[in-house]
Structure formats: structure tokens, C-alpha cells
Amino acid sequence: MDEIRQIEELKTGALRELVAIGSTKGLEAWRVGYLGKKSQLTGVLRSLGRLPLATRKAVGARANEVKAELEAGFKQKEQALLGAQLETLSGEEAVDVTLPGRALPEGRLHPVTQVLHEISDIFASMGFKVVEGPEVEWDYYNFEALNIPKEHPARDTMATLWLDYETESGDRPMLLRTHTSPMQIRFMEKVKPPLRIVVPGKVFRYEATDATHIPMFHQIEGLAVDKGISMADLKGTLYEFARRFFGPDRQVRFRCDYFPFVEPGVEMAIECAVCKGAGCRLCGGSGWIEILGAGMVHPKVLERVEIDPGIYSGFAFGMGIERIPMLRYGVDDIRLFYTSDLRFLRQF
Ligand code: YSA
């Protein structure tokens, strides 16, 4: 059969040429010539329909076999050429394909951010909505509306960073918020009870640093206002938080405290993680670390936002965030969170 002989000659010629090829460019030209759409072999396969039935089968089968052989030869040659190319590269171009890849460093959330998310999630699961507020505040929201008028001694307990902005009357009404409590006022101006929110965020104080104090730290504010809310609701909520975050065995202590925007006011402390209550440098020898201030929202604060204290009552709390991971992991200096030492931060 003429066709078969033609195919065999084609194969012999193609393989002879393939052996002699020395570049990837030459190999590509060979592929197009012998295996491409316009190649002789493809032509044979396309014209099978014109052959008499008796020869069609044998020619088709052989043409397909030769095509597979040529394809295999092409692949083998391609590998050989690439391998040779890698071996001949030198200096910067050289690639050692056997080397393992370089792992990219993986980022992660800062431990304080992780804890802030975790605490927000705990309160969210108890029905509190998570909202945020501005870090640059007016005196009105940070102090005045929270029952801390000018000249009130409570202003001295939160040394304030004032902004260099003066009104015509010589007042300096802008500041970096010293706590997250201004969001109580902002939220209640817009939303009336029943309401339950937590407000995570940064706060700023003009303060010297030590093992438990820094000038920029985080707080999470809590506020619940409804009919019939009592101190029992406040304690129940905070006990539940402590149980979920620190586990059931950690001791919790409430003591009376004073904040002008609550009546009565309390502070909550957790048993020191470093000394387990025995007293150490971190807890100043007391065995306890204060984590939050809280209380029943003062009637004057409710009146300010036009909520009738004769009908509604509420509780609020403001928790310092950095001290929480200190208590959980036994970190004995708050400043470690902000010295950017990756050996410390990678542990969380
Ligand atoms: C009180 C009553 C409420 O109804 C609502 C909120 C509050 C808390 C109040 N706004 C407040 O800021 N109180 S506080 O000055 O005692 O701070 C609260 C917590 O922040 C402290 O318990 C402490 O955990 C943390 N804190 C305070 N100063 C800090 C600090 N953490 C790190 N560095 C500082 N300099």
C-alpha cells in the first residue's frame, strides 16, 4: 500500500531529524512540521475518508501509531534540551531545580487584637452589639455629658492629651479620648432602650509607664439599658465573662469604686496569674489585678440623653484590654506588647 509506505518514510525522516535537533527553537519548528495542523501526517489522517474501505482501517491505524511515536519522541527531546539548558546556565541565571522552595513568612494578629476579638465575641454571644467610635473626641462626650464638669477632680485621674485647637472664647474642647465611655452618650443619643452594646477601641492618657501602665492602651466598654436592670445583671454578666475567658477556677473580686457617671460604682479584679494571689511585682504585692471599672448608669447620664431614669435603668463597664492577656498568659510587663520583639509576639 502506497499510503503505508509513505507513512513509514515520513516517520524515518522525522526521527532522523529529531536526533539532530540542538535547540528548543529547532524542536518547535519540527513539532509544527510533523505534528502541526498543516503537517503531512495530519493531512493523511484527514484524507482517510477518500480511501477505499479496505485500506482505510490499516492506514488510519498506522498513521495514529506513528503520530503517538512522534509525540513521545518530541516530549523526550524537550526534557533533554531543558535539562541541558539548566546545566549550562551559570552565575545568577543558574537554577537548581532540586532545591526546596523558600517559605514566605506568615503574618498573624497582634495578641492584643486577638484578645479584643475574643472578648467582643463573648459579649456578642450574650446579645451585645459591637460598635466603634472616634478616637479624637470632644470634651463634651469624654467628660461633660458623663457628669464630669470642668474643675471636677475626676478629670485629674485621667491625665488628658488635648488637641491644639482653640475656640474663639479660648476653650480647648478637643482631645484624644481617655476612655471608651464617650460612646455611651453617642450611642444613647441615637438609640433608645432596650439596648446592649460593647465598644472596643484605643484610648490615650498622658501617663508615665510601668509594668501595668502605658499611655496608649485598649478598652472595651459595655452598656446595657432596659426596664428593671439591676446590679445583679451587671455582676452576672461579668462573672460569666470571667468564667468563659479565664475558666471556672480563677478568683474574681468586686469592690466599691467611684466614677461620676455611675451610682453605685465598682471595680473588678482578677487573681494575679503570676503569683496566684500570693503577691508579686506585677500585682504590687496584693495578689489581685484590677481589670475594669463598672456600675449602674447614673440617672443624670440617662437624663442627658433624654431617657427617663424613672422607667429605665442600666449598667456599664470599661475593661482595660492589655491586662487581660497578661492575666491569662502570666506576662509580667505590659510594655512587652509594644516593643515589637517578634520573639515575644510569635508566642501567641
Ligand atoms: C467605669 C464605669 C462605667 O460605667 C463604665 C466604664 C468605666 C471605666 C472608666 N471609663 C475608666 O476608664 N476607668 S479606669 O480609668 O479605671 O480604666 C479602666 C481600666 O483600664 C483599668 O481597670 C485598667 O485595666 C485599664 N487601664 C487604665 N489605665 C491604664 C490601663 N491599662 C493600661 N495602661 C494604663 N495606663
Side-chain angles (χ1 to χ4, degrees), residues 42 117 151 166-167 176 194 227 230-231 245 252 261 269 294 318 323-324 340:
T42 310
H117 288 179
E151 318 305 337
E166 237 176 66
T167 61
L176 294 183
K227 287 178 184 155
S230 72
M231 196 76 180
F245 193 89
V252 174
F261 37 100
R323 294 186 189 173
I324 308 283
S340 302

Side-chain angles (χ1 to χ4, degrees), residues 179 181 205 207 214 217 219 221 262 290-291 293 316 318 323:
H179 53 174
S181 303
R205 293 188 193 176
E207 253 180 35
I214 35 174
F217 58 101
Q219 285 189 340
E221 190 82 7
V262 286
E290 177 209 314
I291 61 159
R323 294 186 189 173

Side-chain angles (χ1 to χ4, degrees), residues 148-158 258:
I148 317 177
K150 290 204 171 55
E151 318 305 337
H152 193 290
R155 289 197 178 208
D156 297 340
T157 63
M158 293 185 192
Y258 169 74

Side-chain angles (χ1 to χ4, degrees), residues 223-243:
L223 173 71
V225 184
D226 201 350
K227 287 178 184 155
I229 293 228
S230 72
M231 196 76 180
D233 297 305
L234 169 65
K235 286 184 80 173
T237 305
L238 292 177
Y239 272 134
E240 177 61 10
F241 160 74
R243 192 188 63 78

Side-chain angles (χ1 to χ4, degrees), residues 146 157-158 178-182 184 203 205 207-210 212-223 257-268 289-298 315-324 334:
L146 287 166
T157 63
M158 293 185 192
T178 58
H179 53 174
T180 39
S181 303
Q184 290 191 28
V203 302
R205 293 188 193 176
E207 253 180 35
T209 63
D210 61 27
T212 52
H213 291 84
I214 35 174
M216 186 288 296
F217 58 101
H218 293 76
Q219 285 189 340
I220 189 162
E221 190 82 7
L223 173 71
D257 202 349
Y258 169 74
F259 302 96
F261 37 100
V262 286
E263 181 56 40
V266 291
E267 58 136 73
M268 180 171 128
I289 293 191
E290 177 209 314
I291 61 159
L292 61 85
M296 299 304 294
V297 181
H298 201 290
F315 70 73
F317 59 85
M319 190 186 307
I321 299 299
E322 279 76 1
R323 294 186 189 173
I324 308 283
I334 196 169

